[in-house]
Amino acid sequence: VATPIPNSIASIVTWLGMGVATGLLKGELPTMEVIALLMSRLLGSAIVLMSCIIKLPQIMALLRSKSAEGLSLTGFETELVAYTLTFAYGLHFKLPFTGYGEAIIMSVQDVFLLALIYKYAETPMSHVGIATALYAGGLAVLLSGQLGDEVMRVLSGASFVTIMFARLPQIYANFVAKGTGQLSIFSYLITVFGGSVRIFTSYTDNAGFTMVVGYCMSTTLNFIIALQILFYGSGKKAPAKGKTPAKKAKAKPFSPKAAAKKAPAKKDDSGDEDSSSDEEPESAVRRRRRTKRA
């Protein structure tokens, strides 16, 4: 009677692959291909776990500031489409969950982010309704299982263009504004790291040329945005508390009366004004007066 394999061991065998698990159980030294596969599985699992918090800094920044300043609505909408195409491709071809699982989690976080952007940017309800209906309908078609392999490959290839449209508007907006608004550097640094790892895992898992190229493009564009955040900062810095910029004194128009009050002219005994009294010494003034009396 065959002994049933415990669920825990069965899940590990499924995770590693039957060939790899059998070799390890026999005590065989793993080949380089097996080591690469093990690294791919471990890194893929780490990326899936890390994706649970990758958007949290951005969400917290929005909730704290209650402002969507610096965030590209078009960029986040197209990013959601790109993630959706990625996990739909993985589900269709039954790839390991570690190869596309983060795309599902990131899609959920993007939906929440878009809801906040719609609210704080006061997006018209007509736009929100149309975008929601189009996404829901497209998602239903992708997950229906009615699309063939070739169609899914074409859609996955179209994600190249989608990824470009998701990042280029944000890059351009940052360049024009010379600032990055509420963008979170922590989120983008994690995204760049995760994308770099995903290039390796997609290659080792034979996910296909389209996914490898797609991750290369998205990682490069995310790296550019991360550099913009570091270079431009998070917008214009406010002056420090207690320090106000010095105001230039305004020049007052010349007034003869005011000048007379500040420097009244001295008069001698004969009633004539002595305009040079301020410039000459007092002894010289006395000699002049004695001469006049004589």
Side-chain angles (χ1 to χ4, degrees), residues 15-16 91 124 153 173 207 234 284:
W15 182 70
L16 292 175
L91 288 171
R153 288 192 181 95
S234 57

Side-chain angles (χ1 to χ4, degrees), residues 53-292:
I53 62 169
I54 199 169
K55 294 284 186 179
L56 287 183
Q58 188 66 74
I59 293 173
M60 295 303 296
L62 273 173
L63 291 174
R64 192 185 313 112
S65 65
K66 299 186 184 302
S67 169
E69 179 188 0
L71 303 183
S72 171
L73 178 59
T74 304
F76 278 94
E77 287 176 335
T78 48
E79 180 185 76
L80 176 60
V81 173
Y83 283 136
T84 303
L85 290 174
T86 300
F87 76 73
Y89 181 90
L91 288 171
H92 181 84
F93 288 101
K94 295 180 173 57
L95 299 177
F97 183 76
T98 54
Y100 64 89
E102 82 279 2
I104 298 177
I105 301 173
M106 298 281 281
S107 297
V108 174
Q109 294 178 67
D110 265 349
V111 169
F112 189 70
L113 264 174
L114 279 171
L116 292 177
I117 295 174
Y118 288 151
K119 177 182 178 181
Y120 296 135
E122 299 180 355
T123 307
M125 289 305 297
S126 58
H127 177 97
V128 177
I130 293 173
T132 303
L134 288 175
Y135 179 74
L139 182 62
V141 173
L142 288 172
L143 301 182
S144 64
Q146 301 300 317
L147 301 178
D149 293 352
E150 291 301 323
V151 175
M152 292 303 299
R153 288 192 181 95
V154 171
L155 290 175
S156 179
S159 65
F160 297 165
V161 181
T162 306
I163 292 170
M164 290 181 63
F165 276 108
R167 291 291 179 257
L168 290 180
Q170 185 67 68
I171 293 173
Y172 179 74
N174 295 341
F175 176 76
V176 172
K178 304 299 181 186
T180 54
Q182 302 301 322
L183 290 178
S184 170
I185 181 61
F186 182 72
S187 292
Y188 275 92
L189 287 178
I190 295 179
T191 303
V192 170
F193 173 75
S196 303
V197 173
R198 186 55 70 198
I199 294 171
F200 170 74
T201 59
S202 298
Y203 176 77
T204 55
D205 288 340
N206 297 319
F209 177 77
T210 54
M211 289 195 73
V212 174
V213 174
Y215 279 120
C216 287
M217 291 180 60
S218 63
T219 302
T220 301
L221 295 174
N222 285 327
F223 182 68
I224 292 174
I225 295 178
L227 288 179
Q228 286 183 320
I229 297 175
L230 293 174
F231 182 75
Y232 293 133
S234 57
K236 297 180 179 179
K237 295 182 179 180
K241 291 183 178 180
K243 295 182 179 180
T244 56
K247 296 182 179 179
K248 294 182 179 180
K250 296 182 179 179
K252 296 182 179 180
F254 176 76
S255 174
K257 294 183 178 180
K261 290 181 180 179
K262 290 183 178 179
K266 293 183 179 180
K267 295 182 180 180
D268 56 17
D269 295 339
S270 61
D272 296 332
E273 292 185 357
D274 186 6
S275 59
S276 61
S277 61
D278 292 336
E279 298 177 357
E280 297 179 357
E282 186 178 355
S283 58
V285 174
R286 289 178 178 175
R287 285 196 297 269
R288 287 176 57 190
R289 288 178 178 175
R290 290 173 183 171
T291 304
K292 287 181 180 181

